[in-house]
Amino acid sequence: MHTPEGILMRPVAHIRSDFPTKFGIPKQSGLSEALEAQVVFCPEYRSADAVRGLEEFSHIWLLWQFSAAVREGETFSPTVRPPRLGGNKRVGVFASRSPFRPNHIGLSCVKLERIEYTSEGPVLIVRGADLMDATPILDVKPYLPYADSRPDAAGGFTDAVSARALRAEIPEELLRRVPEEKREPLREVLEQDPRPSYQDDPERIYGFGFAGMEVRFRASNGVLTVLDIRKEN
């Protein structure tokens, strides 16, 4: 069987999300369904016919590229250190969802809220995306409950490691700086603990961009305290 050495793939769309950088993005799709994002198709794919019937599905799969993880001259590494294991234990790259993989392809299941028909063609409004703003989307496929749902599936090493969860304390004067429709999504992101899994310094001040704002916080003893929220320069 002939196998081509290279397969040409080009984006069909890009995501518009509230995250300008990787820090703060939910660690998996679907964890923060209050988060809304947009899938905007590239000009050559802005056809209403291309999404005909998609509105009948409640969820969709996004196949996308870890564009921020692509490095020139990168060599293949058969093992990675998953953050869920504290960044200390190695597992096979194909037993992980690490962005550092041969083809840098990500997979996310998101809720399809609606389709808006705009001057940019059909735009998919989705919830629960775990993608950085401007991430290239390689394909969109419908989620099929009868085939894609596996309630009895084993989760490997993730079954034995609990995700950290925090209680977020946001002073009212800071919360008022956040647009009302962004307050609940921000709280969800904070309560899932946006810090790297291997970092737990109670004195360290962390910061990340969200919806045109910079959010700074400290976490200790199960409580995340927001210290400042300001517009990004």
Side-chain angles (χ1 to χ4, degrees), residues 11 63-70 103-106 131 134-138:
L63 282 78
W64 48 278
Q65 184 190 46
F66 285 103
S67 51
V70 177
N103 287 312
H104 303 94
I105 293 175
L131 284 72
T135 292
I137 307 295
L138 301 174

Side-chain angles (χ1 to χ4, degrees), residues 12 38 52 68 74 108 126 144 149 159 185 189 197 199:
V12 301
Q38 301 176 340
R52 185 190 303 169
E74 181 182 19
S108 297
V126 301
L144 305 178
S149 178
D159 285 343
V189 169
S197 300
Q199 292 184 4

Side-chain angles (χ1 to χ4, degrees), residues 1-176:
M1 181 178 67
H2 174 69
T3 302
E5 292 186 4
I7 300 174
L8 177 63
M9 299 186 73
R10 52 173 62 93
V12 301
H14 292 81
I15 197 87
R16 284 182 185 157
S17 78
D18 288 325
F19 297 98
T21 65
K22 294 182 291 183
F23 194 95
I25 296 176
K27 296 177 174 64
Q28 297 292 339
S29 61
L31 296 180
S32 296
E33 286 212 344
L35 284 172
E36 190 172 276
Q38 301 176 340
V39 176
V40 182
F41 288 95
C42 298
E44 60 266 44
Y45 303 111
R46 291 176 181 174
S47 167
D49 285 340
V51 297
R52 185 190 303 169
L54 190 62
E55 72 281 354
E56 298 176 12
F57 296 88
S58 65
H59 292 74
I60 58 176
W61 290 106
L62 301 179
L63 282 78
W64 48 278
Q65 184 190 46
F66 285 103
S67 51
V70 177
R71 300 171 179 172
E72 287 294 329
E74 181 182 19
T75 58
F76 171 65
S77 173
T79 62
V80 294
R81 294 188 176 97
R84 191 73 179 267
L85 293 176
N88 299 315
K89 182 178 178 180
R90 285 189 174 273
V91 302
V93 64
F94 299 125
S96 80
R97 294 193 175 186
S98 168
F100 303 107
R101 49 199 323 110
N103 287 312
H104 303 94
I105 293 175
L107 177 68
S108 297
C109 180
V110 297
K111 182 179 180 182
L112 178 60
E113 193 74 11
R114 64 189 181 278
I115 302 176
E116 294 184 353
Y117 293 88
T118 73
S119 60
E120 295 179 299
V123 175
L124 311 183
I125 310 301
V126 301
R127 291 187 180 274
D130 54 341
L131 284 72
M132 186 172 70
D133 187 53
T135 292
I137 307 295
L138 301 174
D139 205 356
V140 176
K141 296 178 184 289
Y143 175 91
L144 305 178
Y146 81 90
D148 296 341
S149 178
R150 294 289 187 268
D152 58 343
F157 64 82
T158 66
D159 285 343
V161 183
S162 299
R164 294 190 305 196
L166 301 172
R167 185 178 82 254
E169 293 187 349
I170 310 175
E172 189 61 33
E173 65 270 19
L174 296 181
L175 190 61
R176 284 196 294 266

